[in-house]
């Protein structure tokens, strides 16, 4: 395979070597050498971490990763199951929330990938609110011991705290928008939840694994109710009740 010149340029621009990038993403330097000189494509989760480290788009560095693996449905409420969040394009999250007409709920620690990959994300939320949606956004409190512990468990250190503060910066312009409320929470986050009316993406959290490397299931609420969808919806409501509204200044 031909060398990966885009990756080579990104390394050079940031002053990275094969060894320093390998240490950051916890692989052998020979693996990075093969990515560059032989055009090898790393595992998706490793590629996402490497791209984030370099400040590059993962699909620009490794276009082959654009091809999402097929999801598989196994129950009436489970529309699709994806091995990891990195398999789900940001456009799928955007499309899900764009379809909402009544309710949008987002429960995360940071999920800054939404704003980074889709700069109009705040505009989308404003448009949905103007169309009659009630929107609730719960992000992690960077000073919470649970957030800080998650950083240690995922070997992300203070990075997750920084990303929570970055998420707050992204959402702060929305706090005076009618029908949009943003709060911070300090709960142990077992799952990230992205709800749009009767559909929902649930990003499971796995100990020691970053959220982008953990599974996502797409749920659709059954007419009977009382199933998995409602379990996660109730979980969101329980966290929301403990969350604190952010101040305007």
């Amino acid at each position: 395979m031909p060398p990966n010149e885009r990756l080579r340029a990104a390394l050079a621009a940031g002053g990275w070597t094969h060894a320093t990038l390998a240490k950051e993403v916890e692989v052998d330097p020979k693996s990075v050498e093969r990515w560059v000189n032989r055009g090898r494509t790393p595992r998706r989760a490793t590629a996402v971490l490497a791209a984030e480290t370099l400040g590059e788009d993962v699909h620009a560095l490794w276009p082959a990763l654009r091809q999402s693996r097929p999801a598989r449905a196994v129950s009436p409420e489970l529309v699709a199951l994806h091995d990891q969040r990195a398999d789900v394009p940001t456009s799928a999250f955007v499309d899900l929330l764009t379809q909402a007409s009544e309710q949008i709920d987002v429960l995360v620690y940071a999920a800054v990938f939404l704003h980074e990959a889709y700069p109009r994300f705040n505009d989308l939320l404003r448009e949905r609110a103007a169309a009659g949606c009630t929107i609730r956004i719960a992000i992690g409190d960077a000073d919470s011991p649970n957030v800080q512990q998650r950083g240690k468990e995922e070997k992300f250190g203070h990075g997750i705290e920084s990303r929570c503060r970055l998420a707050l910066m992204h959402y702060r312009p929305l706090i005076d928008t009618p029908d949009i409320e943003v709060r911070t929470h300090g709960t142990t986050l077992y799952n990230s939840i992205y709800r749009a009316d009767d559909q929902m993406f649930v990003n499971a959290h796995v100990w020691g694994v970053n959220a982008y490397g953990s599974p996502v299931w797409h749920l659709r609420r059954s007419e009977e109710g009382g199933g998995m969808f409602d379990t996660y919806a109730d979980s969101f409501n329980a966290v929301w009740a403990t969350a604190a509204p952010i101040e305007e200044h």
Side-chain angles (χ1 to χ4, degrees), residues 175-228:
I175 62 175
D176 60 351
T177 304
D179 293 323
I180 297 180
E181 186 173 0
V182 182
R183 297 183 181 181
T184 58
H185 70 95
T187 64
T188 300
L189 193 64
Y190 297 104
N191 302 277
S192 295
I193 295 173
Y194 309 83
R195 176 183 181 177
D197 293 342
D198 288 338
Q199 296 195 68
M200 179 187 295
F201 284 160
V202 178
N203 184 189
H205 290 184
V206 180
W207 194 95
V209 179
N210 294 104
Y212 58 74
S214 299
V216 169
W217 37 90
H218 178 184
L219 301 178
R220 180 178 291 114
R221 188 176 187 273
S222 66
E223 293 183 2
E224 296 79 10
M228 289 191 296

Side-chain angles (χ1 to χ4, degrees), residues 92-147:
F93 288 85
V94 171
D95 290 345
L96 179 80
L97 299 181
T98 300
Q99 295 174 35
S101 60
E102 298 179 359
Q103 182 173 359
I104 289 176
D105 291 333
V106 176
L107 171 62
V108 295
Y109 271 161
V112 293
F113 74 93
L114 292 171
H115 286 93
E116 291 173 344
Y118 190 70
R120 290 195 67 257
F121 190 67
N122 278 4
D123 291 334
L124 183 160
L125 296 178
R126 291 189 185 98
E127 290 164 3
R128 291 296 83 215
C133 268
T134 298
I135 299 174
R136 301 183 293 177
I137 309 290
I139 58 178
D141 177 353
D143 296 321
S144 164
N146 288 320
V147 169

Side-chain angles (χ1 to χ4, degrees), residues 60-73:
L61 294 178
W62 292 286
L65 293 176
R66 272 188 201 282
Q67 300 177 355
S68 298
R69 285 172 289 182
R72 45 196 181 276

Side-chain angles (χ1 to χ4, degrees), residues 162-183:
S162 298
R163 293 177 81 79
C164 286
R165 292 189 174 94
L166 180 58
L168 182 57
M169 289 175 58
H170 282 310
Y171 286 113
R172 188 175 288 280
L174 296 175
I175 62 175
D176 60 351
T177 304
D179 293 323
I180 297 180
E181 186 173 0
V182 182
R183 297 183 181 181

